[in-house]
Amino acid sequence: MKKFALLVLIFCLAACGGDFKMSDVTGKWQLSTMNGQSVTSMREGGVTLDIQEDGKFAGQAPVNRYFGQIKVEEKTLKTGPIGSTMMAGPPESMQAEQQYFQALGENVKSINIENGLLVITAMDNKKLVFNRAK
């Protein structure tokens, strides 16, 4: 019986751990936490991420608008370089934006959907967590 239960568990883990497709993450998202901290006061109107079916993304960071590309790589989704406008803001907003771009940029380890949330994990294990935008 224990062997059967173990086989069922292994099968479920293998079946549930499928590859993500672009359609899994396509849509408009709003940043809720960055590195475990709430970001509600980071920017009026919020920090956003809009992912298109073709992998292009764009959004509003704490100060600047930004854009980039997501690609399927090694059974996960990865981002490429990020481009942005070059406006200046208050020092704390500029620092938050730099941290955001570092976590969202080319050092992304994985992009996953967890309990309906978009979770982007950087190589240093810092996380960006997004809710679906309404």
Side-chain angles (χ1 to χ4, degrees):
M1 185 66 170
K2 287 182 182 178
K3 287 182 181 179
F4 177 75
L6 182 61
L7 286 173
V8 169
L9 178 63
I10 291 171
F11 177 78
C12 285
L13 290 174
C16 296
D19 300 343
F20 281 94
K21 301 176 291 292
M22 195 58 62
S23 60
D24 295 329
V25 298
T26 298
K28 296 179 188 265
W29 300 91
Q30 181 138 6
L31 185 65
S32 61
T33 64
M34 183 167 70
N35 306 324
Q37 297 181 348
S38 176
V39 296
T40 54
S41 64
M42 189 180 284
R43 179 182 196 286
E44 187 176 329
V47 174
T48 63
L49 173 63
D50 185 3
I51 302 172
Q52 303 298 315
E53 186 68 36
D54 64 1
K56 292 179 183 172
F57 67 85
Q60 177 64 57
V63 177
N64 290 285
R65 301 258 331 133
Y66 67 95
F67 55 91
Q69 182 79 31
I70 294 176
K71 57 189 177 258
V72 177
E73 187 177 291
E74 296 178 14
K75 300 183 181 181
T76 190
L77 301 171
K78 302 272 185 152
T79 62
I82 293 176
S84 74
T85 57
M86 301 291 288
M87 297 186 322
E92 61 275 1
S93 295
M94 296 303 294
Q95 182 180 10
E97 183 165 284
Q98 182 182 14
Q99 291 172 356
Y100 179 72
F101 285 156
Q102 285 174 346
L104 185 62
E106 292 182 83
N107 69 344
V108 167
K109 179 168 52 174
S110 66
I111 301 174
N112 296 300
I113 301 292
E114 299 175 11
N115 300 318
L117 302 172
L118 176 67
V119 179
I120 299 176
T121 305
M123 293 295 186
D124 59 5
N125 290 320
K126 292 185 177 175
K127 292 187 179 194
L128 302 173
V129 179
F130 296 83
N131 295 309
R132 282 254 182 222
K134 296 178 183 182

